[in-house]
Amino acid sequence: MSRRKKKSLFTRKKISKPKYTMGIPTDSEWKTMPNFASFIVADEEGEEHTFSIQETAFILPEGVLPDKMHHPTAYWIGRIKQIRARNDEDVWALVQWYWSPQEVNSVIKSFDVSGCGQYERIMSDYYDYVSTASFCDHAAVMRYDERSIGQEVFDSDDFYCRYDLEYRARKILPNVTRSACCCGVSYNPDRDPVMHFCPRPACRAAYHQECLQRPTQRLDPAARARKFIESWPDTDEQLSIEDVVGSQQCRKRRKRPEYAISDPLEQFPEELVKAAQQQIVKGVQAGGVVGNVKAVVAARQLIYCSLLEGSSLPTDWKDKVDVEAAIPPKRKSSPVFVCPQCQSLI
Ligand SMILES: [Zn+2]
Ligand SMILES: [Zn+2]
């Protein structure tokens, strides 16, 4: 897997007293100022950094010294929407802010900060004119859709955004409870060691281990592995592997082939089956912030589709399933639970 280049904040050139004295532009003045597509900030070494419209940046908060490197979470983060200038030295950007969970909590008291990680930011519809003298570096904020089965992974020190803030309406979208655990508390990637994800279309939620029940019947490892595969991401029906094969034979009005395979899973490469059998988990002790959702789901989907259609596996199946990401080398196996909503094994 290719790792993205790590963000590295640069130390800004010491800013001598700002040369501009006119202050923040008013809305009416803004309309009269000429537009630009980008602006340049020089760092201490004299290296120039170009910031363009639609890019996201770290911005020095008021009262924080510019000539020292701070922890990335100490900076404000915003997206550049417009760039205008009074003159060469007095350049401004219209910035759409990412808010910290604490800032959101200051306007929406019901917003639970404990359910957010330190790298979480909330995209707001709140804008300001910001002097380009306050821009520190490029930032990246990953979109994180917790219900998505295709969510790309990111690192534990990447900024991410699950929610949007409608400032005037004091509203958070999507509704926090939509993706929260059954206990009502959201997943906090800095705190929650293992969350179990149910990929069923009607569920698509992750649960804290301590909020889950163990299965009533004891299952041997082989039966358990099959049950995991049968938590199909493509259907809410409780279909066994054999049921899926059977429905295909029914539809095609075909008799069972004479060389009936004893186990339908035998036709698939071992590593694909192994990927599909994994528990879908995420958390600090379970493979990272996003976990193995996408990889395991892709493996189960390939098996489901192939069994349902009676077709063979696409030759490029390895491009669709990141087997390594599905089965992290050092994961301790965690206990098995049932989904509180659909009772599938998770
Ligand atoms: Zn919970
Ligand atoms: Zn479920």
Side-chain angles (χ1 to χ4, degrees):
M1 208 189 311
S2 68
R3 300 302 254 194
R4 273 167 300 112
K5 206 174 140 237
K6 271 284 163 212
K7 50 197 171 253
S8 59
L9 278 152
F10 58 78
T11 324
R12 280 197 57 115
K13 219 196 254 175
K14 218 177 207 129
I15 311 166
S16 49
K17 268 251 177 304
K19 298 203 176 69
Y20 52 87
T21 49
M22 293 169 75
I24 304 167
T26 59
D27 289 344
S28 53
E29 188 195 359
W30 185 258
K31 290 189 194 115
T32 68
M33 288 159 66
N35 255 309
F36 295 89
S38 62
F39 62 87
I40 291 169
V41 170
D43 64 25
E44 252 187 346
E45 271 93 61
E47 204 187 312
E48 295 190 328
H49 302 259
T50 304
F51 292 85
S52 305
I53 287 172
Q54 292 305 348
E55 283 182 340
T56 301
F58 287 111
I59 296 164
L60 200 68
E62 269 168 24
V64 175
L65 289 176
D67 52 348
K68 193 173 140 244
M69 203 103 84
H70 305 275
H71 190 267
T73 55
Y75 294 84
W76 287 337
I77 299 178
R79 191 182 292 161
I80 303 164
K81 305 304 283 185
Q82 285 178 27
I83 299 161
R84 297 191 181 201
R86 290 190 177 110
N87 55 57
D88 283 359
E89 311 242 292
D90 197 1
V91 185
W92 293 78
L94 176 66
V95 166
Q96 183 175 9
W97 291 112
Y98 280 101
W99 286 36
S100 69
Q102 291 73 15
E103 287 168 319
V104 173
N105 175 261
S106 73
V107 295
I108 303 176
K109 292 284 170 227
S110 62
F111 186 76
D112 181 12
V113 175
S114 76
C116 299
Q118 62 167 328
Y119 290 98
E120 178 146 18
R121 292 294 177 271
I122 295 92
M123 178 96 256
S124 78
D125 57 358
Y126 197 97
Y127 296 75
D128 273 324
Y129 302 122
V130 179
S131 166
T132 57
S134 308
F135 279 70
C136 294
D137 205 350
H138 291 96
V141 182
M142 313 298 294
R143 256 286 156 186
Y144 184 16
D145 180 353
E146 286 192 274
R147 289 173 60 92
S148 166
I149 50 173
Q151 174 67 48
E152 298 295 339
V153 295
F154 51 85
D155 291 334
S156 57
D157 59 351
D158 280 328
F159 286 90
Y160 60 91
C161 172
R162 287 186 281 191
Y163 311 113
D164 294 320
L165 166 69
E166 279 183 14
Y167 176 72
R168 276 172 189 279
R170 300 290 196 269
K171 213 171 156 185
I172 290 289
L173 294 168
N175 195 319
V176 175
T177 52
R178 185 174 155 269
S179 54
C181 173
C182 51
C183 66
V185 177
S186 301
Y187 165 50
N188 177 343
D190 300 342
R191 174 197 61 196
D192 298 323
V194 187
M195 301 285 290
H196 291 247
F197 182 82
C198 178
R200 298 278 203 178
C203 301
R204 302 268 159 97
Y207 304 95
H208 303 106
Q209 258 186 359
E210 59 272 25
C211 300
L212 292 169
Q213 306 266 322
R214 306 294 304 270
T216 42
Q217 45 171 159
R218 278 189 74 87
L219 293 162
D220 64 62
R224 201 167 58 200
R226 288 178 89 82
K227 284 268 181 219
F228 278 127
I229 298 183
E230 289 165 357
S231 294
W232 306 111
D234 288 308
T235 177
D236 288 312
E237 280 185 77
Q238 305 281 344
L239 299 176
S240 70
I241 290 163
E242 286 71 21
D243 289 340
V244 180
V245 177
S247 70
Q248 171 256 323
Q249 280 159 355
C250 236
R251 277 185 304 117
K252 290 202 170 172
R253 293 172 191 282
R254 258 207 267 136
K255 281 196 289 180
R256 256 181 179 284
E258 278 163 32
Y259 52 91
I261 305 165
S262 53
D263 179 359
L265 289 182
E266 274 171 18
Q267 63 186 294
F268 300 109
E270 214 175 297
E271 36 179 349
L272 174 66
V273 175
K274 202 167 169 213
Q277 287 170 346
Q278 300 302 309
Q279 276 177 298
I280 305 181
V281 284
K282 60 180 181 179
V284 283
Q285 283 168 27
V289 181
V290 177
N292 61 355
V293 179
K294 186 184 175 190
V296 178
V297 163
R300 287 187 200 169
Q301 284 182 319
L302 274 182
I303 291 177
Y304 180 79
C305 194
S306 180
L307 293 176
L308 193 69
E309 305 291 329
S311 56
S312 52
L313 209 56
T315 47
D316 63 346
W317 72 268
K318 280 196 173 172
D319 296 341
K320 297 187 166 73
V321 181
D322 186 342
V323 174
E324 229 176 285
I327 319 162
K330 276 189 229 128
R331 175 173 312 152
K332 281 190 288 178
S333 67
S334 41
V336 174
F337 298 96
V338 288
C339 170
Q341 209 166 291
C342 72
Q343 310 303 314
S344 296
L345 221 55
I346 57 172

